[in-house]
Amino acid sequence: MKIAVAGTGYVGLITGVCLAEMGYDVVCSDIREEKVLLLQSGCAPIFEPGLDSMLKRNLDAGRLLFTTDPELAYKNAELIFIAVGTPENPDGTANLDHVYEAAYTIGLCIDKDSIICTKSTVPVGTNERIKEIIRSVKPAHLEIQTVSTPEFLREGNAMYDFFYGDRIIIGTESEEAAKIVEQVFLPLKIPLIKTDTRSAEMIKYASNAFLATKISFINEIAAICDKVGANIEEVAFGIGKDRRIGPQFLQAGIGYGGSCFPKDTKALVQIAGNVEHQFELLEAVIKINIRQQLLAVQKAKELFGSLEGLRVAVLGLSFKPDTDDIREAASITILKALLAEGASVIAYDPVAISNARRVFGDEIEFTADIQTAISGAELSLIATEWDHIKYLPLEKYVQLMANPVIIDGRNCYSLKDVSKYPITYISIGRSALHPEQAQQHTRPGPNMKGRYDETITSILSD
Ligand code: NAD
């Protein structure tokens, strides 16, 4: 069976490479020539553990092809996956331009009966529109069916998730198409859930909204722990032991980011709004997350007063560990706020620097060496829980910072460990350590509170 994939981003590339690894002949198409040239030479344009070797292996085996030529991609294909981006419109709705363009091109190029599976995250009703578009341009004698197959991979664990995911959703009104898609994924032995198209589309949004809700929920509890002297980690452990709740997504921190949760939660609020339902719970989740992303800067302001000229090392740029993706990362919000406050910033990340440089240019210094980042810094602010950061010995902060202060936005260190060192340590939902030393750090600045409020207002209105 020949399979085609439209889009070679995080989802399309992983799908194409992993399907080839399963033994299928796969052609991946993208509109970006530089990306395709890189892929043809065996280099992945994204960082994803395990991807490089699997990509090369399947290119060498001749099962995997990359092209910008849609005819080459879609001719003869029996199954075509649409995995193009669905970014956020300024009003929060999902932008479906890429999806509809891909559908149109597929309709023009196919030359046999085919099944079009949409992996892109799309609002309810989009697969019906995709079918209409393809039908409007395809040769009249051809039959097509559409299937909603939403994607649940986690960046950083994407290869694992393809082969060992929790479930595969197959949403379609065509029994025949469902059977064919089922056969393709059957060897993976992952539970397959067959449902109607609209429910499949909704499952994706509802899943992301629920996970985002868990994160904002624990962050609200953390905010209260901060004030009542409880420890959020003890609390999360205690509630996570309840099997009805579960331990996952109960890590308090500076909020969720990435290419999915922020845009998908906003899109679901809009989807609900379109049918005159105000999704108040999700609106609160989004609002809490915006506040949370700025919490580390707020804590720095409380500690130092003015951040003007303060040497700050921001540790971690990607929205989570093991990816180079910085889309909607908390680090971006933090860096913007620090720059607005006049701080002098150096940022460390093991893999995401080139992506961050595209956003900040020369406004901040970058380093891929964590010790260089913290050397001489007056504040180290942890934004991503990379292992490189979590396992950096605490002595290093003592050795390399004159008066070590850490604001840990991801609760990377245990309070017990930090308490052994002369480090001022502020984390999320846990007691501050050595706050008495904090007095030494205060640097009165002009109209501090007002300026911080202005910064927040301008970042929120971005
Ligand atoms: P991405 O932005 O990384 O990649 C999209 C790719 O599609 C780009 O390379 C772009 O050039 C290409 N493209 C655009 N128009 C095209 C066309 N007409 N034909 C061929 N290629 C085209 O996006 P992504 O992160 O892979 O996400 C894709 C979809 O999957 C989105 O809807 C996203 O919400 C969803 N999703 C993403 C993740 C994730 O972790 N990234 C997880 C689950 C679902």
Side-chain angles (χ1 to χ4, degrees):
M1 172 187 277
K2 179 188 165 187
I3 298 179
V5 181
T8 60
Y10 287 85
V11 171
L13 183 56
I14 302 296
T15 302
V17 170
C18 293
L19 284 168
E21 181 76 6
M22 288 176 75
Y24 297 108
D25 286 322
V26 182
V27 183
C28 297
S29 94
D30 205 289
I31 48 174
R32 288 177 53 190
E33 198 169 345
E34 73 286 2
K35 214 175 200 184
V36 168
L37 285 173
L38 205 62
L39 286 163
Q40 285 170 340
S41 72
C43 296
I46 54 169
F47 173 81
E48 186 61 44
L51 176 60
D52 282 336
S53 54
M54 203 183 283
L55 167 68
K56 283 197 193 89
R57 184 163 61 244
N58 285 285
L59 272 175
D60 292 346
R63 287 191 293 267
L64 185 60
L65 220 94
F66 294 96
T67 181
T68 49
D69 177 357
E71 280 204 18
L72 182 65
Y74 307 132
K75 263 193 193 301
N76 259 323
E78 286 157 74
L79 203 59
I80 302 173
F81 287 94
I82 297 180
V84 300
T86 48
E88 183 185 325
N89 282 319
D91 66 356
T93 54
N95 182 322
L96 299 172
D97 292 353
H98 294 304
V99 171
Y100 293 149
E101 275 159 28
Y104 185 80
T105 313
I106 289 167
L108 290 177
C109 295
I110 50 173
D111 62 350
K112 67 191 298 182
D113 294 349
S114 32
I115 297 169
I116 321 300
C117 299
T118 301
K119 275 196 172 266
S120 302
T121 304
V122 292
V124 176
T126 306
N127 274 276
E128 286 156 32
R129 182 78 193 112
I130 290 171
K131 194 188 261 181
E132 279 167 22
I133 292 173
I134 300 177
R135 283 199 171 147
S136 70
V137 288
K138 72 170 179 59
H141 65 282
L142 297 182
E143 282 294 329
I144 62 133
Q145 298 300 338
T146 51
V147 184
S148 168
T149 49
E151 179 58 61
F152 299 96
L153 67 78
R154 296 162 301 165
E155 287 179 22
N157 294 277
M159 318 291 288
Y160 178 89
D161 287 348
F162 182 92
F163 292 104
Y164 303 100
D166 293 333
R167 76 304 206 187
I168 291 171
I169 304 290
I170 301 175
T172 181
E173 279 59 54
S174 161
E175 259 181 53
E176 194 196 339
K179 250 187 219 147
I180 292 171
V181 177
E182 186 180 14
Q183 286 305 314
V184 167
F185 290 109
L186 214 52
L188 297 178
K189 299 194 171 70
I190 294 174
L192 295 158
I193 299 174
K194 290 197 232 166
T195 182
D196 63 279
T197 307
R198 286 181 165 242
S199 301
E201 290 168 331
M202 193 56 156
I203 286 168
K204 175 63 194 174
Y205 279 106
S207 300
N208 277 358
F210 186 75
L211 294 172
T213 303
K214 262 188 124 175
I215 294 172
S216 281
F217 175 82
I218 202 67
N219 283 334
E220 279 293 78
I221 298 292
I224 303 165
C225 284
D226 248 348
K227 296 199 167 138
V228 299
N231 180 323
I232 190 60
E233 275 175 3
E234 303 290 322
V235 174
F237 183 74
I239 60 178
K241 276 288 175 197
D242 186 328
R243 273 172 295 181
R244 294 168 302 175
I245 297 172
Q248 289 181 327
F249 281 75
L250 289 182
Q251 283 73 40
I254 48 175
Y256 59 78
S259 66
C260 293
F261 286 5
K263 83 171 169 62
D264 294 347
T265 45
K266 283 183 232 166
L268 186 51
V269 165
Q270 294 295 332
I271 292 166
N274 289 344
V275 288
E276 272 137 48
H277 180 87
Q278 190 175 357
F279 201 155
E280 290 177 79
L281 173 63
L282 198 53
E283 284 171 0
V285 166
I286 294 166
K287 207 166 146 199
I288 292 161
N289 197 61
I290 293 168
R291 183 200 67 200
Q292 210 66 18
Q293 286 201 337
L294 282 162
L295 190 59
V297 180
Q298 186 190 334
K299 285 178 183 268
K301 290 281 295 182
E302 282 162 12
L303 193 60
F304 288 94
S306 167
L307 303 183
E308 188 95 46
L310 189 81
R311 180 70 171 167
V312 184
V314 173
L315 306 182
L317 291 165
S318 56
F319 83 93
K320 65 175 187 174
D322 295 321
T323 179
D324 59 352
D325 199 342
I326 59 158
R327 289 178 281 187
E328 305 280 335
S331 66
I332 306 278
T333 310
I334 289 168
L335 288 169
K336 283 183 183 170
L338 288 173
L339 289 175
E341 293 288 338
S344 147
V345 183
I346 180 162
Y348 156 80
D349 195 281
V351 296
I353 289 177
S354 55
N355 284 338
R357 218 189 277 281
R358 274 183 223 122
V359 180
F360 291 98
D362 296 334
E363 279 188 285
I364 52 179
E365 278 176 63
F366 293 102
T367 177
D369 178 56
I370 190 164
Q371 297 195 34
T372 305
I374 64 175
S375 288
E378 292 165 273
L379 165 66
S380 288
L381 194 162
I382 298 175
T384 316
E385 64 276 35
W386 280 99
D387 279 353
H388 311 64
I389 299 169
K390 279 195 330 209
Y391 299 119
L392 180 74
L394 286 156
E395 300 90 74
K396 292 288 172 200
Y397 293 97
V398 180
Q399 285 163 12
L400 299 171
M401 295 173 75
N403 195 353
V405 182
I406 302 175
I407 294 183
D408 185 351
R410 300 295 178 190
N411 290 358
C412 287
Y413 292 106
S414 84
L415 293 184
K416 195 167 156 220
D417 287 345
V418 185
S419 64
K420 296 175 193 149
Y421 296 88
I423 297 175
T424 300
Y425 181 76
I426 315 281
S427 53
I428 310 292
R430 305 185 300 177
S431 305
L433 289 181
H434 308 303
E436 70 283 358
Q437 293 176 14
Q439 299 312 315
Q440 303 163 18
H441 303 292
T442 306
R443 298 147 43 107
N447 190 15
M448 284 150 21
K449 180 149 194 331
R451 284 196 47 207
Y452 178 65
D453 291 345
E454 278 164 31
T455 308
I456 289 194
T457 315
S458 72
I459 287 170
L460 297 190
S461 62
D462 259 3

